Amino acid sequence: MFTPPSSSLRLSRRDFLNAAALGAASVAVSSCTTLSQQPVEPPPPTYVEPALSDYVTMYGPMSDGGFELPAIPVDKIDPQFLRQIVDDPTGQQPGTIVVDTTNHFLYLVRPGGQAIRYGVGLGRAGFEWSGDAVVQWKQKWPKWTPPDEMIARQPELKPYSADNGGMPGGLKNPLGARALYLFQDNQDTLYRLHGSPEWRSIGKSVSSGCVRLMNQDIIDLYDRVPNKSPVVVTADIGQPMVATANRKAIPIDAGVPEGSILLGPIKSITNSIF
């Protein structure tokens, strides 16, 4: 019986070990190659505004602050003036309120290039106001005190003058369910974003110098808008503001009620937004 030399046996074992080492290296290289070919995870999606409710729910009856708001007949309103999420046309920073007086829209700018758009009613020709401001006071079911100028034009409003205590908040109050009071350079502009029971006026120019929304919409806006939110009122969406002469608000009320706690001085950073 032939027995191979021990050196040949050792050589065979060396060859085996070398082959094993080469195999392991090949597996490692193959593993690295496989890992490098795996797809890269895509970036997280941009912000998407949560969907709104259906219109029947959105504009349905509401119990709020002890008052019962009736449903709004959405089938009688031009659909463009119903609350909806749209691509932001304003170019403003998220959180800014932009009133488009040309098209009767109010935009609340949201992240991700979106905005919530509301239909509004605006002042008659010659009653408009334009400029930038800040929400300096917010009120639920505000009291209304018509100014002397309005009482002079409409004497029937005298029972609601400041001297007579104004009109308490309620379903017939012209300021509606909510009011956002706009200040400019720390002064009350007498310009308001407010609710109204007159849903037929949305999309039209009928009120005395202020921006009116349907009550269900002003409640929604009020809840979304933090204190000191910047506001831009303009006829030219997306264009730089141009100073206009003799465009002042015709007051809808006698100003923020005496003794009210305002939101404090306007932060200087607000000026950089406009």
Side-chain angles (χ1 to χ4, degrees):
M1 179 177 179
F2 175 75
T3 302
S6 59
S7 60
S8 298
L9 182 61
R10 286 195 299 270
L11 183 60
S12 298
R13 288 174 178 171
R14 188 180 298 114
D15 291 342
F16 173 78
L17 293 174
N18 288 339
L22 288 173
S26 176
V27 171
V29 170
S30 174
S31 176
C32 291
T33 302
T34 301
L35 289 174
S36 67
Q37 292 177 346
Q38 288 182 347
V40 178
E41 291 188 8
T46 57
Y47 176 86
V48 177
E49 186 69 20
L52 301 174
S53 301
D54 63 273
Y55 287 138
V56 173
T57 301
M58 198 182 301
Y59 293 105
M62 294 181 63
S63 296
D64 182 87
F67 298 100
E68 298 296 325
L69 283 169
I72 295 173
V74 293
D75 58 326
K76 296 182 180 180
I77 298 176
D78 188 329
Q80 68 175 322
F81 297 121
L82 298 175
R83 191 190 323 163
Q84 53 197 280
I85 298 170
V86 299
D87 292 336
D88 172 41
T90 72
Q92 297 291 336
Q93 295 186 19
T96 304
I97 297 170
V98 181
V99 180
D100 174 2
T101 59
T102 299
N103 297 299
H104 292 80
F105 293 139
L106 181 150
Y107 296 91
L108 175 60
V109 182
R110 305 294 285 173
Q114 298 177 297
I116 300 176
R117 191 180 75 189
Y118 307 82
V120 299
L122 296 169
R124 295 188 297 269
F127 280 22
E128 303 94 336
W129 178 88
S130 65
D132 55 71
V134 67
V135 176
Q136 189 74 0
W137 198 53
K138 297 167 59 178
Q139 189 67 22
K140 296 180 178 181
W141 295 102
K143 178 187 292 186
W144 178 53
T145 52
D148 293 340
E149 299 94 322
M150 184 175 287
I151 293 174
R153 297 194 307 269
Q154 299 174 262
E156 67 275 13
L157 298 178
K158 188 171 183 178
Y160 307 120
S161 68
D163 291 339
N164 291 322
M167 177 186 285
L171 295 175
K172 296 183 179 180
N173 189 300
L175 292 180
R178 302 285 190 275
L180 280 59
Y181 295 70
L182 306 189
F183 277 52
Q184 188 179 58
D185 298 326
N186 292 312
Q187 299 295 318
D188 188 355
T189 64
L190 302 179
Y191 203 74
R192 313 287 183 241
L193 311 179
H194 64 92
S196 173
E198 299 177 5
W199 54 265
R200 293 180 179 85
S201 68
I202 302 304
K204 301 175 182 177
S205 297
V206 294
S207 64
S208 298
C210 289
V211 179
R212 58 168 65 181
L213 294 82
M214 290 178 280
N215 275 324
Q216 280 84 338
D217 279 346
I218 193 64
I219 290 173
D220 181 81
L221 180 65
Y222 182 102
D223 290 341
R224 295 177 186 271
V225 172
N227 297 344
K228 301 189 182 172
S229 293
V231 181
V232 176
V233 181
T234 179
D236 301 304
I237 287 293
Q239 300 300 315
M241 284 296 303
V242 178
T244 53
N246 300 320
R247 296 195 70 182
K248 300 294 184 181
I250 300 299
I252 192 173
D253 60 43
V256 173
E258 184 177 353
S260 299
I261 300 176
L262 299 178
L263 303 177
I266 300 173
K267 295 180 180 179
S268 59
I269 191 173
T270 303
N271 296 327
S272 67
I273 296 176
F274 303 104

